[in-house]
Amino acid sequence: MELNFNEIIKQNNLPKIGSKVLVAMSGGVDSSVTAAILKSAGYDVIGITMKLHETKSAKSSKTCCSGVDIADARNVSKKLAIKHYVIDLQDRFKESVINDFVNSYKNGETPIPCIRCNQTVKFVDLLNFAKKVDCKVLATGHYIKRVETKTGINLFRAEDDKKDQSYFLFATTQEQLKVLRFPLGYFSKSKIRDLAKFFGLSVANKKDSQDICFVPSGNYKKFLRKNLNAPSKKGNIETTEGKTIGVHSGITDFTVGQRKGIGVGGIKGINSKDPYYVLDIDKVNNKIIVGPKIKLAKYLIYLKEINFISNNLPSNSFSAFVKIRSRNNLISAKVKYYSLKNKTATVELDKPEYGVAPGQACVFYNNKKRIIGGGWIFSGEKVLS
């Protein structure tokens, strides 16, 4: 199978052939192929794997950076004849990602641990490790395009729309981008699978890890109950009119926009033709507010911790396409930010969006391709003031 290494080097602005490059190897097919491509291109590749958590099942295929994944990364490194390091970051991961995940649900939010992991562990500890081993480049298996210009470094959506991971990288900074490289941004997932087989990698048919890598069973409610400092408290499930129609076992079992599993089915007075959704989670009063889908509609979103990718900041008010969940379609909107110091902004949507949940991210795009930046959602309103 032919690869145009000159084109790969040019697209990713890679250093001269023979330079030392660090590759973050999670044990999956994407990062493994990243290492194989750079090795074949003539670079002195060093693999680095983070040990982030333990799983009970040694054969779990839905994890990332746990026991089985470390073994897979080590086997791939042996196959490629590259150095491979494992760094134990379990304490850091628990503090920065897992605890944040649990606390967010306690506060009635819907967190995104993958973004927090990129913000904290991956793009902090791994970049520090790159300096220690004298590597000017840290390559990862993310599907996103990195493009350098005279005015700075920009990020663009990946060639493969289905695998694009730009939503999860909105918080990346210019300083980090000077070191980071994403060679897979110009490839399709099917091509990467083919390359894994071509290179004879043992992970060629390994399934992709799920979003919450430290909850391989997918049962986040069970995980939360196990990791909460105190038992969840029961509370009322109410309509927007204040009518109690049920009892919940804890607000951590719910997310804004949820329809199934609310626990009010068959309650007298509820119109089954107009199903109820979770509209709000009232942490202070320990209540779940439910109602019809139409009441989920939001036109105005409030953001905190905003980040702009480029050095060239847009005006305080600018038009953009935004995404409020990783799998959602892009929608047109107007973004207003008030100061870079307090990092807050509002997003006015041209059309209503349903299920705007505190704790999720809102990412801004220019012409649907280039990432402008983004922020964390902490509130939403139905009617613009």
mmCIF file of all heavy atoms in Angstrom, residues 169-208:
data_model
loop_
_atom_site.group_PDB
_atom_site.id
_atom_site.type_symbol
_atom_site.label_atom_id
_atom_site.label_comp_id
_atom_site.label_asym_id
_atom_site.label_seq_id
_atom_site.Cartn_x
_atom_site.Cartn_y
_atom_site.Cartn_z
ATOM 1 N N LEU A 169 -11.871 19.078 20.974
ATOM 2 C CA LEU A 169 -10.575 19.748 21.036
ATOM 3 C C LEU A 169 -10.693 21.272 21.014
ATOM 4 O O LEU A 169 -9.712 21.966 20.748
ATOM 5 C CB LEU A 169 -9.697 19.280 19.863
ATOM 6 C CG LEU A 169 -9.324 17.793 19.894
ATOM 7 C CD1 LEU A 169 -8.701 17.372 18.576
ATOM 8 C CD2 LEU A 169 -8.362 17.504 21.034
ATOM 9 N N PHE A 170 -11.876 21.796 21.330
ATOM 10 C CA PHE A 170 -12.083 23.235 21.255
ATOM 11 C C PHE A 170 -11.230 23.997 22.275
ATOM 12 O O PHE A 170 -10.948 25.184 22.094
ATOM 13 C CB PHE A 170 -13.565 23.588 21.479
ATOM 14 C CG PHE A 170 -13.977 23.643 22.944
ATOM 15 C CD1 PHE A 170 -13.811 24.823 23.661
ATOM 16 C CD2 PHE A 170 -14.512 22.538 23.578
ATOM 17 C CE1 PHE A 170 -14.187 24.895 25.001
ATOM 18 C CE2 PHE A 170 -14.880 22.596 24.909
ATOM 19 C CZ PHE A 170 -14.718 23.783 25.632
ATOM 20 N N ALA A 171 -10.810 23.332 23.350
ATOM 21 C CA ALA A 171 -10.071 24.012 24.416
ATOM 22 C C ALA A 171 -8.564 24.008 24.187
ATOM 23 O O ALA A 171 -7.802 24.484 25.031
ATOM 24 C CB ALA A 171 -10.393 23.370 25.771
ATOM 25 N N THR A 172 -8.107 23.499 23.050
ATOM 26 C CA THR A 172 -6.675 23.443 22.758
ATOM 27 C C THR A 172 -6.120 24.850 22.555
ATOM 28 O O THR A 172 -6.761 25.703 21.953
ATOM 29 C CB THR A 172 -6.423 22.604 21.496
ATOM 30 O OG1 THR A 172 -7.166 21.380 21.585
ATOM 31 C CG2 THR A 172 -4.946 22.264 21.363
ATOM 32 N N THR A 173 -4.911 25.098 23.066
ATOM 33 C CA THR A 173 -4.304 26.425 22.988
ATOM 34 C C THR A 173 -3.231 26.498 21.904
ATOM 35 O O THR A 173 -2.742 25.466 21.425
ATOM 36 C CB THR A 173 -3.662 26.801 24.333
ATOM 37 O OG1 THR A 173 -2.531 25.932 24.577
ATOM 38 C CG2 THR A 173 -4.662 26.657 25.473
ATOM 39 N N GLN A 174 -2.853 27.709 21.558
ATOM 40 C CA GLN A 174 -1.805 27.918 20.563
ATOM 41 C C GLN A 174 -0.475 27.322 21.024
ATOM 42 O O GLN A 174 0.263 26.734 20.226
ATOM 43 C CB GLN A 174 -1.627 29.412 20.281
ATOM 44 C CG GLN A 174 -2.665 29.998 19.350
ATOM 45 C CD GLN A 174 -2.524 29.534 17.911
ATOM 46 O OE1 GLN A 174 -1.471 29.667 17.304
ATOM 47 N NE2 GLN A 174 -3.596 28.965 17.354
ATOM 48 N N GLU A 175 -0.156 27.468 22.298
ATOM 49 C CA GLU A 175 1.095 26.909 22.824
ATOM 50 C C GLU A 175 1.121 25.398 22.675
ATOM 51 O O GLU A 175 2.147 24.804 22.330
ATOM 52 C CB GLU A 175 1.283 27.306 24.292
ATOM 53 C CG GLU A 175 1.758 28.731 24.500
ATOM 54 C CD GLU A 175 3.081 29.022 23.793
ATOM 55 O OE1 GLU A 175 4.042 28.242 24.001
ATOM 56 O OE2 GLU A 175 3.150 29.998 23.029
ATOM 57 N N GLN A 176 -0.011 24.746 22.929
ATOM 58 C CA GLN A 176 -0.096 23.299 22.771
ATOM 59 C C GLN A 176 0.000 22.906 21.308
ATOM 60 O O GLN A 176 0.659 21.921 20.954
ATOM 61 C CB GLN A 176 -1.414 22.793 23.378
ATOM 62 C CG GLN A 176 -1.487 22.926 24.890
ATOM 63 C CD GLN A 176 -2.882 22.658 25.438
ATOM 64 O OE1 GLN A 176 -3.881 22.749 24.714
ATOM 65 N NE2 GLN A 176 -2.957 22.337 26.723
ATOM 66 N N LEU A 177 -0.637 23.689 20.445
ATOM 67 C CA LEU A 177 -0.652 23.368 19.018
ATOM 68 C C LEU A 177 0.722 23.502 18.364
ATOM 69 O O LEU A 177 0.973 22.918 17.312
ATOM 70 C CB LEU A 177 -1.661 24.266 18.288
ATOM 71 C CG LEU A 177 -3.130 23.929 18.536
ATOM 72 C CD1 LEU A 177 -4.034 24.985 17.925
ATOM 73 C CD2 LEU A 177 -3.477 22.561 17.979
ATOM 74 N N LYS A 178 1.612 24.265 18.977
ATOM 75 C CA LYS A 178 2.967 24.372 18.441
ATOM 76 C C LYS A 178 3.673 23.018 18.475
ATOM 77 O O LYS A 178 4.538 22.726 17.652
ATOM 78 C CB LYS A 178 3.768 25.387 19.249
ATOM 79 C CG LYS A 178 3.348 26.831 19.023
ATOM 80 C CD LYS A 178 4.144 27.774 19.913
ATOM 81 C CE LYS A 178 3.691 29.229 19.724
ATOM 82 N NZ LYS A 178 4.414 30.150 20.638
ATOM 83 N N VAL A 179 3.271 22.168 19.419
ATOM 84 C CA VAL A 179 3.898 20.854 19.592
ATOM 85 C C VAL A 179 3.032 19.735 19.021
ATOM 86 O O VAL A 179 3.537 18.747 18.492
ATOM 87 C CB VAL A 179 4.177 20.584 21.086
ATOM 88 C CG1 VAL A 179 4.879 19.239 21.280
ATOM 89 C CG2 VAL A 179 5.019 21.708 21.690
ATOM 90 N N LEU A 180 1.724 19.885 19.106
ATOM 91 C CA LEU A 180 0.810 18.821 18.698
ATOM 92 C C LEU A 180 0.748 18.642 17.184
ATOM 93 O O LEU A 180 0.814 19.604 16.424
ATOM 94 C CB LEU A 180 -0.598 19.108 19.224
ATOM 95 C CG LEU A 180 -0.798 18.977 20.732
ATOM 96 C CD1 LEU A 180 -2.136 19.590 21.148
ATOM 97 C CD2 LEU A 180 -0.751 17.499 21.140
ATOM 98 N N ARG A 181 0.572 17.374 16.756
ATOM 99 C CA ARG A 181 0.344 17.038 15.357
ATOM 100 C C ARG A 181 -0.741 15.967 15.289
ATOM 101 O O ARG A 181 -0.816 15.094 16.157
ATOM 102 C CB ARG A 181 1.615 16.515 14.681
ATOM 103 C CG ARG A 181 2.763 17.503 14.645
ATOM 104 C CD ARG A 181 2.485 18.704 13.757
ATOM 105 N NE ARG A 181 3.671 19.538 13.579
ATOM 106 C CZ ARG A 181 4.067 20.464 14.444
ATOM 107 N NH1 ARG A 181 3.400 20.660 15.567
ATOM 108 N NH2 ARG A 181 5.149 21.186 14.200
ATOM 109 N N PHE A 182 -1.567 16.029 14.217
ATOM 110 C CA PHE A 182 -2.690 15.097 14.057
ATOM 111 C C PHE A 182 -2.658 14.495 12.651
ATOM 112 O O PHE A 182 -3.441 14.893 11.775
ATOM 113 C CB PHE A 182 -4.012 15.819 14.302
ATOM 114 C CG PHE A 182 -4.048 16.623 15.573
ATOM 115 C CD1 PHE A 182 -3.961 18.012 15.531
ATOM 116 C CD2 PHE A 182 -4.164 16.001 16.804
ATOM 117 C CE1 PHE A 182 -4.002 18.768 16.701
ATOM 118 C CE2 PHE A 182 -4.209 16.741 17.982
ATOM 119 C CZ PHE A 182 -4.123 18.130 17.934
ATOM 120 N N PRO A 183 -1.792 13.522 12.392
ATOM 121 C CA PRO A 183 -1.623 12.980 11.034
ATOM 122 C C PRO A 183 -2.852 12.322 10.435
ATOM 123 O O PRO A 183 -2.936 12.169 9.211
ATOM 124 C CB PRO A 183 -0.497 11.943 11.225
ATOM 125 C CG PRO A 183 0.232 12.386 12.455
ATOM 126 C CD PRO A 183 -0.808 12.963 13.338
ATOM 127 N N LEU A 184 -3.831 11.923 11.253
ATOM 128 C CA LEU A 184 -4.979 11.193 10.701
ATOM 129 C C LEU A 184 -6.089 12.095 10.172
ATOM 130 O O LEU A 184 -7.068 11.597 9.621
ATOM 131 C CB LEU A 184 -5.570 10.255 11.769
ATOM 132 C CG LEU A 184 -4.635 9.227 12.402
ATOM 133 C CD1 LEU A 184 -5.446 8.182 13.154
ATOM 134 C CD2 LEU A 184 -3.740 8.561 11.369
ATOM 135 N N GLY A 185 -5.942 13.404 10.321
ATOM 136 C CA GLY A 185 -7.007 14.318 9.918
ATOM 137 C C GLY A 185 -7.379 14.259 8.458
ATOM 138 O O GLY A 185 -8.495 14.617 8.079
ATOM 139 N N TYR A 186 -6.460 13.793 7.615
ATOM 140 C CA TYR A 186 -6.702 13.733 6.175
ATOM 141 C C TYR A 186 -7.095 12.328 5.703
ATOM 142 O O TYR A 186 -7.253 12.097 4.513
ATOM 143 C CB TYR A 186 -5.454 14.200 5.417
ATOM 144 C CG TYR A 186 -5.130 15.660 5.644
ATOM 145 C CD1 TYR A 186 -4.350 16.057 6.721
ATOM 146 C CD2 TYR A 186 -5.628 16.637 4.787
ATOM 147 C CE1 TYR A 186 -4.047 17.406 6.937
ATOM 148 C CE2 TYR A 186 -5.336 17.981 4.991
ATOM 149 C CZ TYR A 186 -4.550 18.356 6.073
ATOM 150 O OH TYR A 186 -4.265 19.684 6.286
ATOM 151 N N PHE A 187 -7.251 11.400 6.649
ATOM 152 C CA PHE A 187 -7.579 10.016 6.309
ATOM 153 C C PHE A 187 -9.016 9.673 6.700
ATOM 154 O O PHE A 187 -9.584 10.264 7.610
ATOM 155 C CB PHE A 187 -6.643 9.040 7.032
ATOM 156 C CG PHE A 187 -5.227 9.043 6.550
ATOM 157 C CD1 PHE A 187 -4.281 9.882 7.119
ATOM 158 C CD2 PHE A 187 -4.829 8.194 5.527
ATOM 159 C CE1 PHE A 187 -2.967 9.891 6.689
ATOM 160 C CE2 PHE A 187 -3.514 8.187 5.080
ATOM 161 C CZ PHE A 187 -2.583 9.034 5.665
ATOM 162 N N SER A 188 -9.567 8.668 6.030
ATOM 163 C CA SER A 188 -10.855 8.105 6.450
ATOM 164 C C SER A 188 -10.582 6.967 7.422
ATOM 165 O O SER A 188 -9.487 6.400 7.447
ATOM 166 C CB SER A 188 -11.624 7.563 5.237
ATOM 167 O OG SER A 188 -10.935 6.434 4.677
ATOM 168 N N LYS A 189 -11.560 6.647 8.219
ATOM 169 C CA LYS A 189 -11.401 5.557 9.178
ATOM 170 C C LYS A 189 -11.143 4.237 8.459
ATOM 171 O O LYS A 189 -10.319 3.429 8.911
ATOM 172 C CB LYS A 189 -12.655 5.434 10.052
ATOM 173 C CG LYS A 189 -12.591 4.338 11.102
ATOM 174 C CD LYS A 189 -11.587 4.658 12.194
ATOM 175 C CE LYS A 189 -11.538 3.564 13.238
ATOM 176 N NZ LYS A 189 -10.830 3.945 14.462
ATOM 177 N N SER A 190 -11.831 4.010 7.358
ATOM 178 C CA SER A 190 -11.642 2.757 6.615
ATOM 179 C C SER A 190 -10.207 2.634 6.105
ATOM 180 O O SER A 190 -9.623 1.547 6.096
ATOM 181 C CB SER A 190 -12.631 2.668 5.450
ATOM 182 O OG SER A 190 -12.456 3.762 4.560
ATOM 183 N N LYS A 191 -9.622 3.762 5.696
ATOM 184 C CA LYS A 191 -8.230 3.766 5.233
ATOM 185 C C LYS A 191 -7.291 3.402 6.384
ATOM 186 O O LYS A 191 -6.320 2.655 6.195
ATOM 187 C CB LYS A 191 -7.876 5.148 4.685
ATOM 188 C CG LYS A 191 -6.435 5.301 4.219
ATOM 189 C CD LYS A 191 -6.155 4.527 2.941
ATOM 190 C CE LYS A 191 -4.795 4.867 2.392
ATOM 191 N NZ LYS A 191 -4.508 4.141 1.134
ATOM 192 N N ILE A 192 -7.584 3.903 7.574
ATOM 193 C CA ILE A 192 -6.754 3.604 8.741
ATOM 194 C C ILE A 192 -6.828 2.123 9.087
ATOM 195 O O ILE A 192 -5.822 1.499 9.436
ATOM 196 C CB ILE A 192 -7.183 4.471 9.945
ATOM 197 C CG1 ILE A 192 -6.909 5.952 9.641
ATOM 198 C CG2 ILE A 192 -6.455 4.056 11.210
ATOM 199 C CD1 ILE A 192 -5.483 6.272 9.258
ATOM 200 N N ARG A 193 -7.994 1.551 8.973
ATOM 201 C CA ARG A 193 -8.143 0.096 9.209
ATOM 202 C C ARG A 193 -7.304 -0.683 8.200
ATOM 203 O O ARG A 193 -6.626 -1.657 8.559
ATOM 204 C CB ARG A 193 -9.614 -0.320 9.088
ATOM 205 C CG ARG A 193 -10.521 0.184 10.196
ATOM 206 C CD ARG A 193 -10.349 -0.608 11.464
ATOM 207 N NE ARG A 193 -11.295 -0.179 12.493
ATOM 208 C CZ ARG A 193 -11.253 -0.573 13.749
ATOM 209 N NH1 ARG A 193 -10.294 -1.399 14.156
ATOM 210 N NH2 ARG A 193 -12.141 -0.146 14.624
ATOM 211 N N ASP A 194 -7.358 -0.248 6.938
ATOM 212 C CA ASP A 194 -6.575 -0.915 5.893
ATOM 213 C C ASP A 194 -5.075 -0.789 6.171
ATOM 214 O O ASP A 194 -4.309 -1.742 5.979
ATOM 215 C CB ASP A 194 -6.902 -0.321 4.521
ATOM 216 C CG ASP A 194 -8.304 -0.668 4.042
ATOM 217 O OD1 ASP A 194 -8.883 -1.641 4.577
ATOM 218 O OD2 ASP A 194 -8.824 0.050 3.164
ATOM 219 N N LEU A 195 -4.659 0.390 6.627
ATOM 220 C CA LEU A 195 -3.249 0.599 6.931
ATOM 221 C C LEU A 195 -2.803 -0.262 8.114
ATOM 222 O O LEU A 195 -1.675 -0.777 8.122
ATOM 223 C CB LEU A 195 -2.990 2.077 7.242
ATOM 224 C CG LEU A 195 -2.963 3.019 6.034
ATOM 225 C CD1 LEU A 195 -2.920 4.468 6.487
ATOM 226 C CD2 LEU A 195 -1.759 2.716 5.142
ATOM 227 N N ALA A 196 -3.673 -0.429 9.093
ATOM 228 C CA ALA A 196 -3.339 -1.270 10.245
ATOM 229 C C ALA A 196 -3.073 -2.708 9.803
ATOM 230 O O ALA A 196 -2.138 -3.363 10.284
ATOM 231 C CB ALA A 196 -4.469 -1.232 11.274
ATOM 232 N N LYS A 197 -3.873 -3.177 8.861
ATOM 233 C CA LYS A 197 -3.664 -4.526 8.327
ATOM 234 C C LYS A 197 -2.393 -4.582 7.488
ATOM 235 O O LYS A 197 -1.637 -5.554 7.548
ATOM 236 C CB LYS A 197 -4.882 -4.942 7.489
ATOM 237 C CG LYS A 197 -6.172 -5.093 8.306
ATOM 238 C CD LYS A 197 -7.382 -5.336 7.409
ATOM 239 C CE LYS A 197 -8.661 -5.399 8.242
ATOM 240 N NZ LYS A 197 -9.864 -5.538 7.380
ATOM 241 N N PHE A 198 -2.157 -3.528 6.712
ATOM 242 C CA PHE A 198 -0.957 -3.458 5.873
ATOM 243 C C PHE A 198 0.311 -3.504 6.728
ATOM 244 O O PHE A 198 1.285 -4.187 6.390
ATOM 245 C CB PHE A 198 -0.988 -2.178 5.046
ATOM 246 C CG PHE A 198 0.281 -1.910 4.293
ATOM 247 C CD1 PHE A 198 0.595 -2.619 3.149
ATOM 248 C CD2 PHE A 198 1.172 -0.945 4.746
ATOM 249 C CE1 PHE A 198 1.784 -2.377 2.456
ATOM 250 C CE2 PHE A 198 2.357 -0.692 4.061
ATOM 251 C CZ PHE A 198 2.665 -1.407 2.915
ATOM 252 N N PHE A 199 0.307 -2.791 7.840
ATOM 253 C CA PHE A 199 1.461 -2.770 8.731
ATOM 254 C C PHE A 199 1.533 -4.011 9.630
ATOM 255 O O PHE A 199 2.494 -4.188 10.368
ATOM 256 C CB PHE A 199 1.430 -1.518 9.617
ATOM 257 C CG PHE A 199 1.724 -0.236 8.888
ATOM 258 C CD1 PHE A 199 0.804 0.798 8.876
ATOM 259 C CD2 PHE A 199 2.929 -0.068 8.214
ATOM 260 C CE1 PHE A 199 1.079 1.987 8.207
ATOM 261 C CE2 PHE A 199 3.213 1.118 7.542
ATOM 262 C CZ PHE A 199 2.284 2.142 7.534
ATOM 263 N N GLY A 200 0.513 -4.865 9.545
ATOM 264 C CA GLY A 200 0.497 -6.094 10.336
ATOM 265 C C GLY A 200 0.304 -5.859 11.823
ATOM 266 O O GLY A 200 0.852 -6.602 12.662
ATOM 267 N N LEU A 201 -0.487 -4.857 12.181
ATOM 268 C CA LEU A 201 -0.701 -4.522 13.584
ATOM 269 C C LEU A 201 -1.780 -5.408 14.199
ATOM 270 O O LEU A 201 -2.832 -5.642 13.595
ATOM 271 C CB LEU A 201 -1.100 -3.052 13.719
ATOM 272 C CG LEU A 201 -0.130 -2.033 13.105
ATOM 273 C CD1 LEU A 201 -0.620 -0.611 13.372
ATOM 274 C CD2 LEU A 201 1.278 -2.229 13.645
ATOM 275 N N SER A 202 -1.537 -5.855 15.404
ATOM 276 C CA SER A 202 -2.467 -6.769 16.082
ATOM 277 C C SER A 202 -3.802 -6.119 16.423
ATOM 278 O O SER A 202 -4.778 -6.810 16.698
ATOM 279 C CB SER A 202 -1.829 -7.295 17.369
ATOM 280 O OG SER A 202 -1.473 -6.221 18.233
ATOM 281 N N VAL A 203 -3.843 -4.793 16.402
ATOM 282 C CA VAL A 203 -5.070 -4.083 16.777
ATOM 283 C C VAL A 203 -5.915 -3.694 15.561
ATOM 284 O O VAL A 203 -6.857 -2.910 15.682
ATOM 285 C CB VAL A 203 -4.728 -2.812 17.586
ATOM 286 C CG1 VAL A 203 -4.074 -3.175 18.903
ATOM 287 C CG2 VAL A 203 -3.835 -1.881 16.766
ATOM 288 N N ALA A 204 -5.593 -4.232 14.407
ATOM 289 C CA ALA A 204 -6.264 -3.827 13.162
ATOM 290 C C ALA A 204 -7.780 -3.933 13.239
ATOM 291 O O ALA A 204 -8.504 -3.100 12.677
ATOM 292 C CB ALA A 204 -5.741 -4.665 11.997
ATOM 293 N N ASN A 205 -8.287 -4.931 13.942
ATOM 294 C CA ASN A 205 -9.734 -5.140 14.034
ATOM 295 C C ASN A 205 -10.293 -4.798 15.407
ATOM 296 O O ASN A 205 -11.447 -5.118 15.716
ATOM 297 C CB ASN A 205 -10.079 -6.589 13.685
ATOM 298 C CG ASN A 205 -9.750 -6.926 12.238
ATOM 299 O OD1 ASN A 205 -10.073 -6.160 11.323
ATOM 300 N ND2 ASN A 205 -9.082 -8.053 12.028
ATOM 301 N N LYS A 206 -9.481 -4.144 16.234
ATOM 302 C CA LYS A 206 -9.936 -3.787 17.577
ATOM 303 C C LYS A 206 -11.028 -2.730 17.500
ATOM 304 O O LYS A 206 -10.942 -1.763 16.737
ATOM 305 C CB LYS A 206 -8.757 -3.259 18.403
ATOM 306 C CG LYS A 206 -9.093 -2.974 19.861
ATOM 307 C CD LYS A 206 -7.845 -2.545 20.637
ATOM 308 C CE LYS A 206 -8.165 -2.285 22.098
ATOM 309 N NZ LYS A 206 -6.955 -1.884 22.861
ATOM 310 N N LYS A 207 -12.078 -2.896 18.300
ATOM 311 C CA LYS A 207 -13.183 -1.946 18.306
ATOM 312 C C LYS A 207 -12.734 -0.612 18.898
ATOM 313 O O LYS A 207 -11.834 -0.562 19.723
ATOM 314 C CB LYS A 207 -14.359 -2.501 19.115
ATOM 315 C CG LYS A 207 -14.992 -3.742 18.522
ATOM 316 C CD LYS A 207 -16.153 -4.213 19.382
ATOM 317 C CE LYS A 207 -16.804 -5.461 18.795
ATOM 318 N NZ LYS A 207 -17.919 -5.951 19.649
ATOM 319 N N ASP A 208 -13.384 0.455 18.455
ATOM 320 C CA ASP A 208 -13.089 1.769 19.016
ATOM 321 C C ASP A 208 -13.555 1.832 20.466
ATOM 322 O O ASP A 208 -14.571 1.227 20.837
ATOM 323 C CB ASP A 208 -13.804 2.868 18.224
ATOM 324 C CG ASP A 208 -13.238 3.018 16.827
ATOM 325 O OD1 ASP A 208 -12.094 2.585 16.610
ATOM 326 O OD2 ASP A 208 -13.956 3.552 15.959
#
